[in-house]
Amino acid sequence: MIVGGGVVGCSIAYHLAQIGFSDVVLLERKQLTSGTTWHAAGLIGQLRATMNMTKLARYTRELYEGLEESTGQATGYRGSGSISIATTEGRFEELKRSASMAKVFELPVAVVSRDEIEAAYPLIRSDDVLGGISIPSDGYGNPVDITQALARGARNAGVVIREDTAVTNFRTDGRRITELDTTAGTILADVVVLSAGMWTRDLAATVGVNVPLQACEHYYVLFESVEGIHPGLPVLRDYDACTYFKYDAGKLLVGAFEPRSRPWAVDGIPEDFCFDEIAGSFEHMEPVLASAIERIPALERAGIQKFFCGPESFTPDVRYHLGRAPELDNCFVAAGLNSIGIQSAGGIGKVLSEWIRDGEPPVDLWEVDVRRNLPFQRNRRYLEERATETLGLLYATHWPFRQYESARGARRSPIHDRLVTQGACHGEAFGWERPNWYAPPGVPAQYEYSYARQNWFEYSAAEHRAAREQVALFDQSSFAKFRVEGNDAARILNGICANNVDVAPGRVIYTQWLNEKGGIEADLTVTRLTTDSFMIVTAAETEVRDFDWLKRHIPPDAHCIATNITSALAVISIMGPNARVLLESLTPDDLSHEAFGFARSREIELGYAFVRATRITYVGELGWELYIPTEFAAGVYDAIVEAGQSFGLVHAGYHALNSLRIEKGYRHWGHDITDEDTPLEAGLEFAVRMKKDDFLGRDALVRQRADGVKRRLVQFLLRDPEPMLYHNEPIWLGDAIVGYITSAAFGHTLGASVGLGYVNLAVAGGEIPPEGFEIEVAGVRFEALASLEPLYDPARSKILA
């Protein structure tokens, strides 16, 4: 059962039918395309920030190219190509890095000069243009015709499409939607897909499903009698002016993604909304139009045929929502398309239909997975404030480490204000305010963005060195924390975890959760607290996803209960060579290596509290993570800071944490390891206990070990200290691209940028030579040293001190 008849819903219906589903029903409250699809601009771009998103966009373009022939319904598709221009150095750097990244994705993208841009788009004023990129295979289509073609293809394959049929109620048995009450009667449901566009948030909320999105005003203007336009013009994007230009049936359409948008219908979409426009504000759009006229002078002599404002839905992180909802077993979501629904619909239909069929996503889709959303993000005030920013982020420069400016302060650790007084520059991650770096006295704790070394670079370097040479304090309260207890807890967890967690109380086990293909679903630690209780610590980003995975793998009849205790415990990490002596000055407990070995955990006295001290590290140094009941956190922090003055204690942020872990080669889930990567490929076989014969994913690892891995995660160190690596840079060996960088940072101890990336062993000749690799940055290749072992402290002598 699909709820919603826009381009996305019709694509899902089409693809379900294509892979053999014979009982598919699509319900549309009014008429197909009547929500937002009908007024979309119809741009079909392909280059995205990651490989899988680019693959989905390419599939969409390929689908639309052949859709008219296969269905007999015209789509208006035109492969016009596209040109994106840059008028600032930062933007040009971004575009050149994108062109390099596209080589990994096998998408032809050319860096073009001002003269080449003028030749391809003669209407442009280009005196301030530095250059740009051209994608010849991009294009556009007619959104209504594309949707009708998908609907016709679906009907031809047996899909039932019911228009003028609104869902009025969902009936559930607690875990599944069983029936839908509609204006045409009650319908039984086996699987339900919520694809109702900007209505999805409130519709999903009626059944307890969290889909945070907010409708915003979205503008374009149609100019008529524009001199020099013709059907062969490529789509032109002027990101720095927040505009795009598209030929449209003899007219020129000028669309906008203004920096500050106007949320619409915060309290809900009008029930009778259908093929409607909204009033909008010409004054709001006027600055963008002025910039468009400057870019295309012919517009000044043209007439405005249509000033249009219609709603589009936007999400808090400008990524759409896709996948199975964690709240119900048979409810899927495909919504919040952030004005890229037409160019995303084909790929969404393909992967979601396969997800429904197979019970798991066909590729890594974490960046758009609906399970990334936190419950608070459905708060209407939060959504309204964040939506003012997110629309404009589509065309804003995607600076490294760029921070959200709106809806800040949602989640704060108990020591947040104390860290502010220490000079913390907080970033926002998953609602948490987290200290990314610390400004020294007299320096504003503010970002100055660049693709080169940013203003905080040297301050973070000092924090990095403090962790390596003295001692550093990190606030990691945003860790997600789960308590699992019961007579069956050890047995259940040992079946989920690749490592053996049936150990003595006080032991800490680093492990992964795997899927049936051996892919890594989660990367975490499990601490055995008592015989029948455990604490799981995982990333803040994956709190909802990991808790959902855990709960789904606890049988209903098991004596095992999982509780999310994230908010109950603050976490202060003390890391560095002086960590032991600092903490020993504050506690009567014995913290010697002999008494408190690595990967051990127990309660100790500290300040006026008892805290759980866990000897573990994500920075590659001696240290402890302190798990503190939130009401005691400020007092414990004060005691540590006061004593720390004698031991060279330095506050350190997440940028230093990242550079430290990259040097040590520690993996980050979502970048270096995903549900497509196995522990054998990622160099994590040491965390797998193959002697266990009953953990999820074991059979896949047995087969892969027998067949041999086809790629390996490798650590790279640039020989040149100047280039900055971030992620997705191509890895070259000779004349072949053998992989790409999955995550990177500047290694302040190693003296240059360090990156992790998978290397295709077949293309590389079956070996990983230490020499001969190059990493491409914005079109320039730089020599890199390669290693399968950590380049920093491979013997772990620092950790085991």
Side-chain angles (χ1 to χ4, degrees), residues 709-712 714 738 759-768:
V709 297
K710 295 179 173 56
R711 60 193 188 114
R712 282 296 307 273
V714 180
V738 295
V759 170
N760 185 314
L761 293 177
V763 180
E767 301 289 338
I768 304 295

Side-chain angles (χ1 to χ4, degrees), residues 385-451:
E385 292 182 12
R386 177 55 61 86
T388 63
E389 179 181 11
T390 51
L391 181 148
L393 291 179
L394 283 168
Y395 273 27
T397 303
H398 298 90
W399 298 113
F401 313 109
R402 189 196 186 283
Q403 300 299 320
Y404 293 108
E405 298 174 359
S406 59
R408 294 292 298 267
R411 306 172 84 185
R412 298 178 180 181
S413 84
I415 60 173
H416 173 270
D417 291 346
R418 283 168 163 78
L419 301 183
V420 170
T421 65
Q422 293 286 341
C425 182
H426 282 88
E428 188 267 340
F430 336 113
W432 285 99
E433 294 292 318
R434 306 200 303 186
N436 282 342
W437 57 280
Y438 288 82
V443 174
Q446 299 174 352
Y447 279 90
E448 296 175 11
Y449 297 120
S450 167
Y451 274 94

Side-chain angles (χ1 to χ4, degrees), residues 14 29 31 50 53 68 74 130 210 332 359 397 457 552 557 613 751 765:
Y14 173 89
R29 56 184 287 278
Q31 294 174 261
T50 63
M53 291 298 103
E68 181 173 346
L130 303 179
N210 181 30
F332 289 77
T397 303
F457 182 87
R552 289 185 186 277
D557 58 348

Side-chain angles (χ1 to χ4, degrees), residues 11 15 55-61 63-64 320 322 342-353 365:
S11 177
H15 284 88
K55 286 182 177 178
L56 296 192
R58 290 185 68 179
Y59 170 80
T60 298
R61 188 260 300 169
L63 173 69
Y64 293 170
Y320 53 79
L322 187 67
I342 303 301
Q343 55 194 309
S344 303
I348 288 174
K350 181 179 189 299
V351 295
L352 193 64
S353 62
L365 295 169

